[in-house]
Amino acid sequence: MTSPQQPQPQPQPEPHDTAAPGAAAPMPPAGAPEPPAQPPAEQPEPRPLAAHPQPEQPQAPMPPQAGPAPQEGGPAREAGTMMLQAQQPPAAAPGKEAGTMMLQAQAAPQGAPLPPQGAPKDAGTMTLQAQQPPAAPPQQPPYQPQQAAHQQAPQPPQQQIPAAWQAAGPGGGAPAYVSPIPVRRTNLGHALASEWTKIRSVRSTMWTLGVMIVLNVGIGLMIALLLSDPYRTADPLLGSAWLGLLLGTLCVIPLGVLVISSEYGTGMIRTTFTACPSRGRVLTAKAIVLFGLTFVITTLSTTLVAVVHAGMLNGPAPTGDQWLRATIGSGLYVAVLSLLALGAGALLRHSAGAISAMLGLILLPMLLAVFMMTSESLRPVAKAMIEYSIPNSLGALYDQPFLGSGPSGWQPLLILVGVTAVVLGGAYAALEKRDV
């Protein structure tokens, strides 16, 4: 901070009140004229802050300060208060630049109030006050060479967009995004692969089909050993091979139900229908996989039993039709019966309920017919129930029915196919209309 170039007038000492030192000056009432100030008794004369004495020159008028207006009734300042003030010089004063800061010792008049936020200051306090310069017209920012050079710098070359992507979008003919992974439309083959993965990865398939094979083959071998007497003749020769298969069907029924009802129980059916929204396709894939697996396992086991019976028992040689019905026919019958259980599971959507209904369909007609035969009026009904029951139909495939009347040959299989088609048709309709 440099000394001002223009001489400053000598500050005049501020008179003090004649009261005792240390006592506060009485405050004049509002609106009353101020009493004449008395010269201080022992106050030293303040010295200017200039580096060398300056010739006396009339002081330029001070511009109004930008600070808050003093309030009346505030505490008075002590004499000799130092104020540091930045002011604008008068327009006629040559040699000064705009905004020159001047350090001036100014005596505050007695009774001058302080701003409301301030507190009484002691003698010799220096205050720094900056006045706001008058509003200047807006000026343009100075020219910056670095910014201009940055704006004029060459931009890096942009990556070329392929033509196929340029054509993409709402106005183009190509799709908006082309996945690098080959996308193929789903078909029945995908649903078959999914259902095959499910049915071979669950433990229920191994247990049900495993027990069915053990019962069919084991009971068939035991019967062959019991009837393998050289003096006994079996006619038809394969007429006793179906007894083990009858118990094996009791294991296939739970498998057909669990193929679809287990997914309803665990909630997996939601994921299945999300991956394949076509519900008819899902049921078709389940039916194909279940039918194929059951048919292959049943045909292999029944063929083994038929070969054992033909080699160990005495009797007339079976015909070709008898061989077909005892091997392929029995395999088809059990496979269609598993589809009937699948349709019941899709309709009921409950494992225990569907299994109980299917077991009742197999065993209940025979049990009721036994008790109904004792009544003369119910005997025709009981006879019909026995003839069209599943155990009697299965024995008719081997030419060994319970009753001589009723379906024979391939008729039991055709009847079962008709009943299964009706149940599966209802399952397809219910699957499309009902919610998951």
Side-chain angles (χ1 to χ4, degrees), residues 59-364:
Q59 183 179 358
M62 300 294 292
Q65 298 181 358
Q71 299 180 359
E72 296 182 2
R77 295 179 180 174
E78 298 284 342
T81 302
M82 302 289 293
M83 299 179 63
L84 184 62
Q85 180 179 7
Q87 62 181 5
Q88 295 289 340
K96 291 186 179 179
E97 296 181 0
T100 304
M101 297 188 65
M102 302 177 62
L103 186 62
Q104 179 182 1
Q106 181 178 358
Q110 183 177 3
L114 288 173
Q117 294 84 2
K121 296 183 173 60
D122 296 333
T125 304
M126 294 184 65
T127 59
L128 182 63
Q129 184 177 4
Q131 293 184 349
Q132 296 182 355
Q139 299 180 1
Q140 296 183 356
Y143 177 74
Q144 298 180 1
Q146 296 181 357
Q147 183 177 1
H150 177 70
Q151 294 179 356
Q152 297 178 1
Q155 299 293 335
Q158 299 181 357
Q159 185 179 2
Q160 298 295 332
I161 302 177
W165 285 44
Q166 291 179 358
Y177 173 73
V178 178
S179 174
I181 304 175
V183 179
R184 296 179 296 175
R185 295 179 60 88
T186 57
N187 49 37
L188 182 60
H190 300 115
L192 289 174
S194 174
E195 296 303 327
W196 170 246
T197 303
K198 293 178 186 178
I199 200 170
R200 68 182 176 85
S201 59
V202 295
R203 290 177 292 181
S204 60
T205 304
M206 179 186 66
W207 283 105
T208 54
L209 293 182
V211 173
M212 189 268 290
I213 293 173
V214 171
L215 291 175
N216 189 14
V217 176
I219 294 176
L221 292 177
M222 291 175 60
I223 293 175
L225 291 175
L226 292 175
L227 299 178
S228 62
D229 189 354
Y231 301 100
R232 178 179 295 181
T233 302
D235 189 18
L237 187 63
L238 304 178
S240 302
W242 63 278
L243 296 177
L245 185 61
L246 178 61
L247 296 177
T249 56
L250 301 179
C251 300
V252 176
I253 295 301
L255 176 62
V257 172
L258 291 175
V259 165
I260 190 169
S261 63
S262 62
E263 295 194 27
Y264 279 102
T266 59
M268 184 66 183
I269 194 68
R270 298 184 182 90
T271 306
T272 301
F273 287 155
T274 302
C276 183
S278 178
R279 301 185 178 186
R281 183 188 300 174
V282 173
L283 186 58
T284 302
K286 289 180 180 295
I288 293 175
V289 171
L290 177 64
F291 180 86
L293 181 61
T294 308
F295 172 73
V296 171
I297 297 299
T298 306
T299 302
L300 291 177
S301 61
T302 53
T303 302
L304 178 60
V305 173
V307 170
V308 170
H309 277 240
M312 296 180 63
L313 301 181
N314 296 326
T319 62
D321 184 64
Q322 290 177 343
W323 275 105
L324 287 177
R325 285 188 279 114
T327 55
I328 297 178
S330 60
L332 289 173
Y333 193 89
V334 175
V336 173
L337 192 61
S338 67
L339 293 182
L340 181 61
L342 175 65
L347 287 174
L348 300 180
R349 300 190 297 181
H350 191 270
S351 300
I355 292 174
S356 300
M358 288 301 301
L359 293 179
L361 180 65
I362 294 175
L363 302 177
L364 191 59

